[in-house]
Amino acid sequence: MSNITRADFNRYEMNVYNPAPFIPVRGQGSRFWDDADKEYIDFAAGIAVNVMGHCHPEIVRALEEQAHKLWHISNYMCTEPAIRLAKYLVENTFADKVFFANSGGEANEAALKLARRYAYDHYGPEKDQIISFENSFHGRTLFDVTVGGQEKYRTGFGPLPGEVIHVEFNNLEAIKAVISERTCAVMLEPIQGEGGIVPADREFLQAVRKLCDENHALLIYDEVQTGFGRTGYMYAYEAYGVVPDILTSAKGLGAGIAIGAMMTTDSIADTFKPGVHGTTFGGNPLATAVGCRSFELVHNQDFLDGVKKKAELFRELYRELNEEFHCFKEVRGMGLLIGAELTPELSDRLKDIFKACLEEGLFVLTAGHNVIRTVPALNIPDEDIREGFKRYRNALKKLFG
Ligand SMILES: Cc1ncc(COP(=O)(O)O)c(C=O)c1O
């Protein structure tokens, strides 16, 4: 086998991501190493995916055990791991039924199709309007980018699915002005992730729930980023105490293996009869076996309390960092979904901070146009958090010191 280099990426892959100038080759826990053996502390976890860090022995074992049993059999048959994972999700959420997809975007596509079809079946074809929120992000299928509240992701891809309206997030008057009996669904992230870590107000969610009920519209929560223990709750809706009709989950659910899930109640799920929707790989035995182990590890009160404790340590270290550099206007979020908004003077330095951190051996993410996002593994050791902040400090000192 010939050596693969970073230059080969430009030669052979489409450049939709503009990846870092090195190639990560192995990871362990919350650290990983590149092709020059440089070590990085991982505050990104594969964009809120690797909830148990890299190569967690229990997750590796689940994958290996299933790899020796059954990889793929098709949806002509059901499989034990998928049924088990669906049972875990149903027994521990508001939902009665689960549909498995392969990603967050696909889970959202399924949710949107379900909402439209449910309205069509129960109220007729006129009830087709979908309301979503500015700055939201729901994935990259054509329906997802249409419902997502960021113009840049849909520019040039038209014609787009119709009857989608975007209103300002957390603005009750704005949604009141457009919702009606023609609305079939309202879709939102309880905490906007890609848009800049912007939490919904509790009163706003309560009022949206009420508006949906009054107008016979389904409330869809996209918990692709907020779900699966990320906030210190299994799903963020538990923290808000406002229950949706449909919820999507992905990212952490597979602890690094591609999977998505769309969950709902029996009466809504009934719309998806055989043949109405489907996927070749969704709910395959490998992904769902890993999902089961991931669920068993994360769905544990001590573990979730640990997420909240680690979040406090992040906040404390952010306070220290800000006392020294005064570069953050606000640090916000819930649990280990943390956004640090830069002060207006530094808002054009986001990329510089990201790059300086990488140079110092720390992988952070960005969100929106002025937010540093940290979404580490939920089991990140405290010493890795401290070491990560040392490197963060070095990066800021280099830039602003
Ligand atoms: C809230 C939310 N929804 C949907 C998606 C899309 O998920 P995927 O990239 O797995 O399709 C993302 C990805 O970042 C997300 O954050």
Side-chain angles (χ1 to χ4, degrees), residues 15 21 46 49 51 58 79 88 106-107 128 134 137 152 166 184 187 216 222 227 231 241 332 341 376:
N15 191 23
V49 167
V51 281
E58 290 286 323
T79 69
Y88 282 164
E106 271 184 45
D128 58 0
E134 288 162 10
F137 182 78
K152 64 183 179 195
H166 301 96
C184 73
M187 185 171 203
H216 306 102
D222 175 347
T231 61
R332 57 179 181 251
E341 183 180 331

Side-chain angles (χ1 to χ4, degrees), residues 134-277:
E134 288 162 10
N135 286 324
S136 62
F137 182 78
H138 298 301
R140 301 294 197 131
T141 71
L142 202 57
F143 211 162
D144 292 339
V145 294
T146 306
V147 173
Q150 301 189 48
E151 180 69 35
K152 64 183 179 195
Y153 295 124
R154 47 178 185 268
T155 301
F157 291 121
L160 304 168
E163 303 307 326
V164 176
I165 294 180
H166 301 96
V167 296
E168 194 185 353
F169 194 49
N170 277 331
N171 181 339
L172 190 54
E173 293 313 310
I175 180 169
K176 267 191 189 159
V178 292
I179 197 165
S180 72
E181 282 291 344
R182 275 210 51 204
T183 308
C184 73
V186 176
M187 185 171 203
L188 58 86
E189 300 158 84
I191 302 167
Q192 290 190 336
E194 303 294 315
I197 317 297
V198 182
D201 299 331
R202 183 190 301 270
E203 303 71 41
F204 175 73
L205 278 196
Q206 285 167 341
V208 169
R209 173 72 271 176
K210 195 156 167 276
L211 285 173
C212 284
D213 292 342
E214 286 164 4
N215 290 283
H216 306 102
L218 300 180
L219 179 57
I220 306 172
Y221 284 174
D222 175 347
E223 290 232 31
V224 167
Q225 191 152 167
T226 55
F228 220 75
R230 175 60 46 198
T231 61
Y233 296 83
M234 207 55 204
Y235 287 98
Y237 81 85
E238 298 165 28
Y240 280 97
V242 182
V243 178
D245 299 299
I246 301 176
L247 182 147
T248 57
S249 184
K251 290 193 182 278
L253 175 60
I257 293 281
I259 189 170
M262 187 270 285
M263 314 176 218
T264 190
T265 57
D266 271 330
S267 60
I268 300 167
D270 200 39
T271 297
F272 267 7
K273 298 202 163 31
V276 174
H277 189 61

